[in-house]
Amino acid sequence: MGDKERRVDTVEVHPLAWQAGSDTLIEAPPGFKWLAAHIAEKTGAALSGRPVWGSCDVRLDPAYKRIFHLGHGVPPNIAHLLQRNLGASLERLDVDLYRLRTNASEVYFIPVYYRPPPHLPKLPQDGKIYFPLPYRKIAERLHAETGLPLAKEPITGCWVGEPPGPMAYVVATGLFYPLTLKFFYPDSKVFQIDPFRGEVKDVEQDFIRVMKLKARAHLTTPRRVAVLLTTKPGQRQDEKAKELTARGVTLVVLDEASPEYIDDLQFDLVINTACPRIGIDDLDRVKTPILNYYEYVERRLDPRLAIRLL
């Protein structure tokens, strides 16, 4: 058994993925690129090398009738933008499986789940369990073992569908998703559960660090201001960009918004109308102050405004 075959045993992918063919382009986020490559090798599909961090990053390609997007669901905010910007229809075909249809092509958002490890960490207190899509099976196992309430739907980097109450757990490696929940519900105590390290961590200090970084952008007195408008259909919001350009703000149209690119523009302040994580996750790597749209419009430091897309 080869290395990829052994790695396939660590995940569960919806059977539809293996129906890819020469008319299919497969895209996947970091961590699942190996799986996309494995499926492409087995089915004759093409592999996309584009970076994709969520379903909002999907992009149609006229050379392919079908796009298979692995590892992400479609939350209501992204669903709205995809349907509006592409003139598409969206339907749910199965648990976490979605199909987006346009006149020219179909996009299938295909779930991939990590298999639960043999032993999961003990949880110190009662609280609701949340999960991004790949961790659904692990969260369900924790729910079965502890009896704690489980969120019905996955969270994403810009969407939490259910309020947590005073205590919440997010099953995920890294702080990206636990901080999502903390930004939406700053008064709740949020813990990260790393199922593979067996660790449970309070994210409060990490949240405070990010908010201190965000405060710098609110203190700036800019002369030259730009608004970012992405070309990605799952994030594009022309109406917000036009509103700000009418006030004299310079419009910058782009696909990827890296810290290096933003700094190279040399504006005093950048207003982001695309993925809200641009104004959150890279603040220790970018020199240019960044405010997300709702922060700028309402002129106040509030994590709930910082994480809001629509």
Side-chain angles (χ1 to χ4, degrees), residues 14-286:
H14 194 281
L16 177 64
W18 302 102
Q19 297 179 26
S22 59
D23 67 342
T24 310
L25 179 66
I26 305 176
E27 56 183 30
F32 286 149
K33 278 283 194 292
W34 67 269
L35 178 60
H38 180 66
I39 295 170
E41 290 168 355
K42 295 292 185 181
T43 63
L47 172 65
S48 171
R50 290 182 58 248
V52 291
W53 310 100
S55 54
C56 60
D57 291 314
V58 72
R59 185 177 294 281
L60 303 183
D61 189 319
Y64 298 95
K65 182 179 179 181
R66 297 186 298 171
I67 307 292
F68 280 11
H69 181 106
L70 304 184
H72 296 122
V74 188
N77 53 354
I78 303 303
H80 169 76
L81 291 176
L82 285 172
Q83 291 177 96
R84 185 188 70 180
N85 290 329
L86 293 174
S89 63
L90 181 74
E91 58 183 319
R92 188 171 189 166
L93 304 177
D94 200 350
V95 176
D96 299 326
L97 175 67
Y98 294 85
R99 177 172 60 197
L100 184 78
R101 278 181 164 171
T102 70
N103 291 332
S105 60
E106 295 179 332
V107 180
Y108 290 85
F109 298 92
I110 299 176
V112 180
Y113 306 114
Y114 293 114
R115 297 186 189 277
H119 303 289
L120 293 172
K122 302 296 182 182
L123 306 186
Q125 303 176 53
D126 289 346
K128 196 169 192 174
I129 301 171
Y130 291 80
F131 58 93
L133 186 147
Y135 297 86
R136 178 187 280 278
K137 302 297 183 181
I138 300 175
E140 289 174 345
R141 173 76 65 81
L142 273 171
H143 166 66
E145 290 181 359
T146 64
L148 295 180
L150 178 69
K152 295 178 181 178
E153 300 291 344
I155 66 172
T156 72
C158 64
W159 178 265
V160 176
E162 304 171 38
M167 182 79 66
Y169 297 98
V170 179
V171 183
T173 57
L175 294 171
F176 182 87
Y177 293 104
L179 285 176
T180 299
L181 189 62
K182 185 67 178 177
F183 265 75
F184 273 109
Y185 296 99
D187 295 331
S188 294
K189 195 172 185 66
V190 178
F191 288 89
Q192 172 210 5
I193 302 174
D194 187 325
F196 303 115
R197 293 178 178 270
E199 298 174 350
V200 180
K201 177 186 177 181
D202 187 344
V203 304
E204 186 67 31
Q205 292 305 312
D206 300 281
F207 172 71
I208 291 172
R209 179 186 63 83
V210 174
M211 289 305 295
K212 286 181 178 178
L213 290 172
K214 285 212 66 63
R216 296 186 307 180
H218 286 270
L219 297 175
T220 190
T221 53
R223 293 183 178 180
R224 301 177 64 246
V225 182
V227 56
L228 302 184
L229 174 64
T230 180
T231 59
K232 296 179 180 180
Q235 300 177 18
R236 183 166 188 153
Q237 300 188 74
D238 289 83
E239 71 285 356
K240 289 183 172 64
K242 289 178 180 178
E243 172 197 332
L244 296 181
T245 55
R247 303 184 192 180
V249 175
T250 301
L251 177 64
V252 177
V253 181
L254 75 171
D255 183 15
E256 298 293 336
S258 68
E260 295 78 15
Y261 180 81
I262 291 173
D263 283 339
D264 191 49
L265 294 172
Q266 298 185 21
F267 283 93
D268 300 321
L269 175 68
V270 165
I271 307 162
N272 173 43
T273 67
C275 172
R277 302 308 291 241
I278 294 170
I280 295 174
D281 296 314
D282 292 326
L283 294 180
D284 54 353
R285 296 174 52 216
V286 65

